[in-house]
Amino acid sequence: MPSNKFLNRPGSIWERTSFEGKMFPELREEMEKRIVSELREYEDVSWEPGAAGRISGKWVYPREKSNKLLYYVHGGGFTLGSSGIPMPFLMELSHRLGINCFSADYRLAPEHPFPAAPHDAFAGYQALLDMGYKPENIVVCGESAGGTLALDIPLMCKDTNTPVPKAVIALSPLTDASMPVNGVVLEGLDETDEVVDMYAPGIDKKHPLISPYYGDLEGYPAVFLSEGGAEALGGNAIKFAQKASVSGADVHLHIGKDMIHTYPLDLWDYPEAMESFEEIQLFIAQQLR
């Protein structure tokens, strides 16, 4: 049984946004402004707009200088969302772990269909390497569609002989777009099949950068996968975890009983989310020690 705080939760930015009658650009701007305006203030953490190479986004810095980095790719069904969405999550991680964070923006569908998003996500990672961050000091993270893109990055590293990051964290990722989905993944978005068709029109849903489950996972870095037990994408994280484990990766899988899509981002709203957040915190600390 979920906690009372979960049952009476205020709702994520997705649940608190009215989508009716609004176009994608308006929704993106509205959600970005709202989440940034609600950010907590920290004495030992700051943030600023910035970039990694050609990829714009937001940087989070702890007071003490760090060479460790969490590279974040936001979700939103490949059509919505922005680098602002994970900022509460990132600022708390930076506060607790003393690491830098970069939250990337990337080109979104339908204006910029596949493969614009994975190419931008990978370009951001390459830019961080060019800036002097060592791959063993980088953890890549993302939620929902951003979790898919985060899982893509080691596959693209392998194809381009680029050093892989130390680890990947994927929260409620889509790992196999050919799997049946039970219901709408996020409020305001269409059914998953329709979202994927908008994102990658005419492309095989088993393309490894759309469905990373079908990629070559030999040599894959350590990976933390999470999904809610009651979410529409349930089973995607489990399926990827099983293949990655067989391929030799160090796999950490967390299923939140009765939980919803990307629930660890709701860390302040109910204890189940904070518990998962702290597991992620521990995983990052272990990987970047």
Side-chain angles (χ1 to χ4, degrees):
M1 179 83 178
S3 67
N4 286 332
K5 284 192 174 181
F6 172 80
L7 296 174
N8 296 289
R9 65 190 184 277
S12 69
I13 186 69
W14 299 95
E15 295 169 304
R16 293 183 288 118
T17 297
S18 174
F19 291 83
E20 187 173 355
K22 298 175 183 176
M23 303 297 287
F24 283 134
E26 181 184 359
L27 285 166
R28 294 165 190 158
E29 183 177 359
E30 177 184 334
M31 295 173 76
E32 166 83 3
K33 286 182 177 178
R34 183 168 188 171
I35 202 158
V36 168
S37 71
E38 295 174 352
L39 285 175
R40 294 185 175 211
E41 293 187 2
Y42 294 78
E43 292 185 356
D44 61 343
V45 175
S46 61
W47 74 273
E48 61 186 30
R54 67 173 179 83
I55 303 302
S56 63
K58 295 176 179 61
W59 281 94
V60 178
Y61 298 109
R63 178 181 295 159
E64 300 297 326
K65 187 175 181 181
S66 175
N67 64 354
K68 315 285 187 181
L69 178 88
L70 184 75
Y71 174 43
Y72 199 98
V73 188
H74 72 81
F78 306 105
T79 58
L80 292 172
S82 71
S83 59
I85 295 295
M87 287 295 285
F89 179 89
L90 298 181
M91 292 184 74
E92 184 65 15
L93 279 175
S94 184
H95 167 66
R96 294 189 182 203
L97 295 175
I99 60 173
N100 299 339
C101 303
F102 178 67
S103 179
D105 286 304
Y106 55 91
R107 289 172 292 170
L108 296 168
E111 301 96 318
H112 303 284
F114 177 86
H119 283 181
D120 285 358
F122 185 56
Y125 175 71
Q126 289 177 305
L128 294 168
L129 297 179
D130 291 341
M131 291 170 65
Y133 285 99
K134 296 181 179 180
E136 61 267 27
N137 288 337
I138 300 175
V139 171
V140 178
C141 183
E143 103 280 358
S144 194
T148 303
L149 298 172
L151 293 172
D152 286 344
I153 287 174
L155 302 179
M156 300 179 80
C157 286
K158 190 169 184 177
D159 287 344
T160 57
N161 293 317
T162 301
V164 299
K166 178 66 175 179
V168 178
I169 300 167
L171 312 177
S172 298
L174 178 69
T175 68
D176 182 358
S178 69
M179 284 179 62
V181 175
N182 182 24
V184 174
V185 175
L186 282 174
E187 296 293 329
L189 292 180
D190 294 330
E191 297 284 346
T192 299
D193 283 348
E194 296 174 10
V195 171
V196 174
D197 287 340
M198 185 186 301
Y199 166 56
I203 309 297
D204 184 353
K205 290 181 180 177
K206 293 185 178 180
H207 189 295
L209 297 185
I210 297 172
S211 298
Y213 171 80
Y214 295 100
D216 180 1
L217 304 187
E218 293 295 329
Y220 207 83
V223 58
F224 182 105
L225 295 136
S226 166
E227 66 183 26
E231 70 162 288
L233 287 185
N236 271 264
I238 295 170
K239 188 171 184 176
F240 188 91
Q242 290 171 336
K243 182 175 178 180
S245 181
V246 170
S247 299
D250 176 18
V251 177
H252 301 250
L253 176 65
H254 181 79
I255 308 299
K257 185 180 179 182
D258 299 323
M259 290 295 103
I260 57 175
H261 190 62
T262 71
Y263 75 98
L265 293 190
D266 300 335
L267 64 154
W268 297 117
D269 293 343
Y270 44 92
E272 295 93 337
M274 179 57 78
E275 177 185 345
S276 184
F277 172 85
E278 290 179 341
E279 288 194 16
I280 294 164
Q281 174 191 338
L282 178 60
F283 175 79
I284 296 171
Q286 291 172 336
Q287 296 300 318
L288 297 182
R289 59 189 173 193

